[in-house]
Amino acid sequence: MAASAAALTIACGALLGIAAPASAHNYLVSATPAADSTLTELPESFAITTNDRLLDIGDTDSGFAFRVVGPDGTYFEDGCVDVDGPTMTTAAALGDSGQYTVEWQIISADGHTVSDSYDFTWDAPAGFSPASGSATPPSCAADGDGSTAAATTTGTESGGTASTTSDALWIGAGGLVVVAAVVAVLLLVRRRPAPAADDTDEG
């Protein structure tokens, strides 16, 4: 019985170890602008890149956000994002020089929402024309047919079918490990020879 319990414990531990990667949240790998950096030239776009695909069901960019807040509390994003694989981007726009805050939110490959913020400094180059900003967070502009631009981005579906299938394979493999361990324990128990009876025949 002790050996059986030990085998089952090991098998369950193996299952938990295998299934763990499927439930891990995405985490930030790189960003443009980088956290605590000083930006001296406006890039074509701002970006957040994570360690795994992002979950963008149907290419709608639903649940994703990329806000850029200026020194005076105004917002300099247009409200639209583009999700492609592990990366979320938005059009770059800034106002006057100063300290800015990036506030971002993504849908992780495991379906959970992950959000955070960081600061960077903007040192505008000579001749730069600052954007005016907005007092409230903008919404992505609607196109001609009434849908939002965010819903028509070219990013692929991230973390959808591929990640779900991968997770199912991990979980299925873990289940096979447990089943195999249980079968092995039962076979060992059944094959164990019965203890020899004491010889009480004195003749």
Side-chain angles (χ1 to χ4, degrees), residues 74-148:
T74 55
Y75 295 85
F76 288 90
E77 75 281 359
D78 62 6
C80 299
V81 297
D82 185 12
V83 178
D84 187 2
T87 301
M88 171 180 65
T89 59
T90 191
L94 294 173
D96 294 322
S97 297
Q99 180 172 292
Y100 285 70
T101 299
V102 169
E103 300 173 348
W104 56 270
Q105 176 176 291
I106 61 169
I107 305 300
S108 185
D110 62 0
H112 289 85
T113 300
V114 178
S115 61
D116 204 348
S117 64
Y118 66 85
D119 297 331
F120 71 93
T121 300
W122 169 231
D123 185 5
F128 174 75
S129 298
S132 58
S134 173
T136 57
S139 297
C140 194
D143 59 25
D145 62 3
S147 62
T148 63

Side-chain angles (χ1 to χ4, degrees), residues 153-177:
T153 56
T154 57
T156 58
E157 180 172 329
S158 307
T161 303
S163 291
T164 302
T165 302
S166 176
D167 293 353
L169 290 175
W170 279 109
I171 295 171
L176 291 176
V177 170

Side-chain angles (χ1 to χ4, degrees), residues 28-55:
L28 184 66
V29 171
S30 64
T32 302
D36 302 320
S37 66
T38 297
L39 193 64
T40 58
E41 183 176 353
L42 191 66
E44 292 185 3
S45 62
F46 292 153
I48 293 291
T49 299
T50 68
N51 64 306
D52 198 359
R53 296 190 212 182
L54 301 173
L55 188 60

